[in-house]
Amino acid sequence: MSAADLVGDQLRDEDERVEPRAAWRAADAAADHGILSGTRVLDLSRVLAGPYTAQILADHGAEVIKVEAPAGDETRGWGPPFEDEGATSAYYQSLNHSKENICLDLRTDAGREVLGDLLAGADIVIENFKAGTMARWGFDYDTVLAERHPRMVYCRITGFGVDGPMGGLPGYDAVLQSFGGLMSVNGYPDGAPLRVGIPIVDIVAANMAVSGILLALYERDRSGRGQLVDMTLLDSVISLLHPHAANWVSGGAIPQRTGDFHPTVVPYQVFSARDGDFFVSAANDRQFRSLVGVLGVPELADDPRFVHNGERSRHRVELAAVLGARIAQWDRDDLAERLERAGVPASPVNDVAEALTSPQVRHRGLFLDTDEYRGVGVPISLSRSAHRSPRPAVRRGAHTEEVLAALGYGPRRLAELRSSGVFGDG
């Protein structure tokens, strides 16, 4: 008998238990918070890609319960800065808002029994355990969960997958940037390879995982069955290699680092304006003609060295020198306004504070500063379906007894679990 099979026998007390599917709930489950309202998500993940996947689903109404180990998701300690009087890092807060949180020690039989009940009520499960962990606990997807819960969509996020020459190896964002070729094309030609300044592999993996989950839900509407969404960080980083992979496939040359230059479009780079850095893109001949007109050197548009992108690419160093000397005479905001009117894509290189507080970002609701929540807003807008207003991440285990009581756990059994240490504070 598996750990999940023991639930009905070992967890009953004087209170009658209810069907997990009917009772599994979040604090605001009754409210319509978006297109995924009523969808139940069990978030068994930690660090970044998994928690961010679950948070995106929560933003659009899904009822997400995050299960955290007694030691806590390690990102709670990834600071400074810290919030909640030093208890939780801003890093953790940004990946775990709008979730319920329960604490379970899944190393124990009793903790895994509770996990069996939670799994029984979930539409979607997200986990990024070491390969084989769920199977060792009696919850292998292919041989157990798919049969027991045929409508479940199960999202597994790993570094390299669970099979193949590197199957089961752990994955970390920077390691995958290195292994997957991304680091080799990031940086300046005369410098070392650079890590992209955000955890881009994890972030893209999360967004791809959400896409996979939604595709699986769509297919479930037709077939009545869930399936495995097998997401890896390796998949994510390889998908990011545009246009470098295509260029190598076509031409055979190994792509090289080009700094802030685009490998094929010229000009497409950062220049120094009078009061700071300024980015310019002129991706076609019309934009280039408009750019040089604003800069007061219209004759460059008819110069044989620069008349088309191919010529501009071959003479990019000479062109950059001429454009750089002109742009250096402008203030960033003035030049941005003039180029915008001329139809040339360009922008000051804003720092994070400037970006978040810009009028357009605030207009789009991408930065919220209210009494309840201060942080990045929801970046997906739908014309008819609302989304949830983010609410801050909570302390570890904040809803443990609340959620389990809704599953039918009576006071006596809750007290037993707590005293045994299953909730991490016994």
Side-chain angles (χ1 to χ4, degrees):
M1 183 178 289
S2 72
D5 292 328
L6 295 172
V7 173
D9 296 330
Q10 296 185 3
L11 296 186
R12 295 179 187 272
D13 60 14
E14 70 278 6
D15 301 294
E16 181 180 357
R17 291 174 58 74
V18 297
E19 174 61 36
R21 175 69 197 171
W24 202 79
R25 41 85 60 207
D28 53 359
D32 181 6
H33 286 291
I35 201 166
L36 295 177
S37 290
T39 304
R40 283 92 177 257
V41 179
L42 187 62
D43 180 8
L44 302 177
S45 65
R46 37 178 274 279
V47 188
L48 203 163
Y52 191 38
T53 301
Q55 181 174 278
I56 294 171
L57 299 175
D59 284 338
H60 292 278
E63 304 162 24
V64 178
I65 293 178
K66 180 180 177 75
V67 178
E68 210 162 334
D73 187 323
E74 57 262 51
T75 60
R76 284 188 183 271
W78 286 10
F82 291 97
E83 299 182 12
D84 295 337
E85 299 179 349
T88 303
S89 69
Y91 192 109
Y92 177 91
Q93 287 277 348
S94 70
L95 298 168
N96 292 282
H97 68 237
S98 303
K99 302 178 185 180
E100 307 295 286
N101 188 292
I102 72 173
C103 180
L104 289 178
D105 190 344
L106 297 177
R107 298 169 300 180
T108 66
D109 289 340
R112 293 192 291 273
E113 290 162 7
V114 177
L115 176 60
D117 247 3
L118 292 166
L119 288 165
D123 292 294
I124 299 163
V125 176
I126 301 167
E127 59 98 343
N128 60 355
F129 292 119
K130 184 178 178 181
T133 298
M134 288 289 279
R136 190 172 70 251
W137 289 343
F139 297 115
D140 178 64
Y141 174 75
D142 292 320
T143 61
V144 177
L145 296 180
E147 180 177 349
R148 187 174 295 157
H149 310 299
R151 290 181 58 81
M152 175 185 288
V153 173
Y154 189 96
C155 179
R156 181 180 66 207
I157 302 176
T158 60
F160 295 90
V162 299
D163 50 19
M166 300 181 72
L169 291 182
Y172 302 92
D173 183 276
V175 172
L176 268 297
Q177 287 195 37
S178 177
F179 180 86
L182 184 59
M183 203 177 287
S184 75
V185 295
N186 192 48
Y188 285 90
D190 56 351
L194 288 179
R195 178 184 67 86
V196 177
I198 59 172
I200 187 66
V201 177
D202 276 317
I203 291 170
V204 170
N207 281 278
M208 293 178 72
V210 170
S211 296
I213 289 168
L214 297 181
L215 288 170
L217 290 176
Y218 181 81
E219 195 278 338
R220 188 180 75 173
D221 285 344
R222 293 184 292 182
S223 69
R225 297 187 61 84
Q227 59 186 298
L228 172 68
V229 178
D230 182 14
M231 186 69 228
T232 78
L233 300 188
L234 180 61
D235 304 342
S236 169
V237 71
I238 296 301
S239 77
L240 282 168
L241 296 180
H242 181 79
H244 306 288
N247 290 349
W248 174 76
V249 168
S250 177
I254 303 296
Q256 302 297 309
R257 294 185 295 280
T258 59
D260 56 296
F261 291 179
H262 193 283
T264 56
V265 178
V266 180
Y268 191 104
Q269 67 189 89
V270 175
F271 295 93
S272 294
R274 190 156 48 200
D275 58 346
D277 292 327
F278 190 84
F279 179 80
V280 172
S281 164
N284 57 50
D285 295 341
R286 180 195 60 74
Q287 291 175 351
F288 181 69
R289 184 173 293 277
S290 297
L291 169 66
V292 295
V294 169
L295 294 179
V297 282
E299 65 276 9
L300 293 183
D302 298 311
D303 188 311
R305 296 172 299 170
F306 310 134
V307 68
H308 298 302
N309 186 74
E311 287 76 23
R312 291 194 291 273
S313 183
R314 284 188 288 273
H315 298 279
R316 69 163 69 231
V317 175
E318 303 148 71
L319 179 59
V322 177
L323 297 180
R326 289 286 174 163
I327 291 171
Q329 301 171 23
W330 287 78
D331 290 334
R332 300 188 311 165
D333 289 344
D334 291 343
L335 182 56
E337 184 180 349
R338 285 289 302 276
L339 291 178
E340 179 182 326
R341 292 203 304 266
V344 180
S347 170
V349 179
N350 290 328
D351 61 31
V352 172
E354 289 170 330
L356 289 179
T357 57
S358 68
Q360 187 65 17
V361 166
R362 286 184 174 274
H363 170 74
R364 293 286 300 174
L366 295 172
F367 176 62
L368 305 175
D369 191 358
T370 69
D371 292 339
E372 294 78 27
Y373 177 82
R374 187 171 192 265
V376 174
V378 178
I380 301 174
S381 297
L382 302 173
S383 65
R384 291 188 294 103
S385 300
H387 57 70
R388 172 181 275 119
S389 296
R391 50 184 170 84
V394 296
R395 61 176 175 80
R396 177 180 57 83
H399 305 105
T400 301
E401 294 198 11
E402 229 182 301
V403 169
L404 297 188
L407 282 173
Y409 288 68
R412 187 175 69 187
R413 187 55 183 158
L414 289 172
E416 289 172 355
L417 290 169
R418 182 169 293 286
S419 64
S420 71
V422 172
F423 299 159
D425 54 1

